[in-house]
Amino acid sequence: MNRGQSFLLLLMGSVALLTLFVILPFVEYVIASAILAFVLYPFHRRLTRWLRTRVSERFGEMLSALTLILSAIVAVILPLAYISWVFVRDLTAIAAGETAIDVAAIEAEIAALTGQDPEIGELLQTVGELLVQTLFGGFSGVLNTAIRASVGLSLALFLVYYTLIDGPAFVKWIRDSSPLPPDVTADLVDRTHVMTRGVVIGHISVALLQALVAGLGLWAAGIPNVVFWTFVMAVLALLPLIGAFFVWGPAAAYLVIVDQVTAGIFLAAYGVAVIAMVDNYARPLVIDQQAHLNPAIILLGVFGGIYSVGFTGLFVGPIVIGVLAATLETFREDYDAI
């Protein structure tokens, strides 16, 4: 390696570090925009083909991207923003010691059964304070997080637009610029695509579906703070079989404790007959069998992602681990002899 090449590599590394420093405050939104563009791209490709027969090729591509972004805002971003707002509102209320749960009834029932005097209210408040501190850096960080999320969301929408337009060219550039042999590069790109699709469309979509179904059951049974608990179940549902049960199971017991026996029995029966069946049948049908990731690894990615980058870590964490798995698998198969 001559001096010119060494200097160029040093310059590339320095500029890469500076670029990371510049985008670091919004790196989760950059990654989230890439994920959203990944999900929308198959629709973009079909819609672009349909529009090309009616308008010019370039205008059809631009119109397709704008249409899909507006659709994503209405169908995904606005509902997610509302759910996030309700989640933050209820979480801060719990951390402040305010909850719609009949804590006194639960404490009285436990005291009658065990002879102990539990402090359920203080326990809930402590857990709420811990979550607020972990997710937002304390109460003062909630407003800063909201402002930063608004700016980051605007940036993400612009990035989604340009990723849909120029994404294929970027992937081609990666293939052409990769120092790996072309067949190894193609294998790595294909594995990364399959793994990402398996995580996003498989594990996460099934978890969100199960949480939504369970949330409807909680709402029908009259459980307070339904949106908050639905969000919690969306995370726990990534753990197969028993994930969402950690919420709807105690919720059914809570209803029985507060003398709403009929509602409690309904929720328990609904959980066994409907919520559990979503996990048992939807997961094998939806998840691409080529994406072999242990659910425990997915759960680790979810919690680690949320802790590291906030709400978007729900998606970012599992995908990062999935890409690592795809890279290791490619290395194992293509460089097995090393």
Side-chain angles (χ1 to χ4, degrees), residues 130-179:
L130 179 61
L131 288 175
V132 169
Q133 183 64 39
T134 301
L135 295 176
F136 310 109
F139 288 98
S140 60
V142 174
L143 180 60
N144 292 334
T145 301
I147 295 174
R148 184 162 162 267
S150 300
V151 176
L153 186 58
S154 301
L155 172 64
L157 292 176
F158 280 104
L159 291 176
V160 169
Y161 173 80
Y162 287 108
T163 303
L164 288 175
I165 297 295
D166 299 324
F170 179 68
V171 173
K172 183 178 183 301
W173 176 81
I174 291 178
R175 289 177 180 267
D176 295 340
S177 303
S178 173

Side-chain angles (χ1 to χ4, degrees), residues 32-42 44 159-161 163-164:
S33 66
I35 296 170
L36 183 58
F38 174 82
V39 173
L40 293 178
Y41 184 73
H44 172 65
L159 291 176
V160 169
Y161 173 80
T163 303
L164 288 175

Side-chain angles (χ1 to χ4, degrees), residues 41 43-69 161 164-165:
Y41 184 73
F43 303 99
H44 172 65
R45 187 171 52 190
R46 295 185 182 92
L47 184 57
T48 299
R49 282 201 298 262
W50 183 79
L51 289 172
R52 280 174 180 171
T53 61
R54 291 158 176 80
V55 295
S56 64
E57 180 176 342
R58 184 62 178 174
F59 184 72
E61 194 173 20
M62 295 169 57
L63 184 59
S64 172
L66 289 173
T67 301
L68 289 174
I69 289 174
Y161 173 80
L164 288 175
I165 297 295

Side-chain angles (χ1 to χ4, degrees), residues 268-284:
Y270 179 82
V272 173
V274 180
I275 301 174
M277 290 303 103
V278 171
D279 185 84
N280 293 338
Y281 291 101
R283 195 177 297 271

Side-chain angles (χ1 to χ4, degrees), residues 67 77 121 222 224 263 275 289 296 335 338:
T67 301
I77 295 177
I275 301 174
Q289 295 301 314
Y335 294 97
I338 296 178

Side-chain angles (χ1 to χ4, degrees), residues 7-37:
F7 175 77
L8 184 59
L9 288 175
L10 178 62
L11 181 62
M12 288 170 56
S14 301
V15 174
L17 288 176
L18 288 174
T19 302
L20 179 61
F21 176 77
V22 169
I23 69 172
L24 193 58
F26 297 99
V27 66
E28 66 267 34
Y29 297 99
V30 174
I31 300 174
S33 66
I35 296 170
L36 183 58

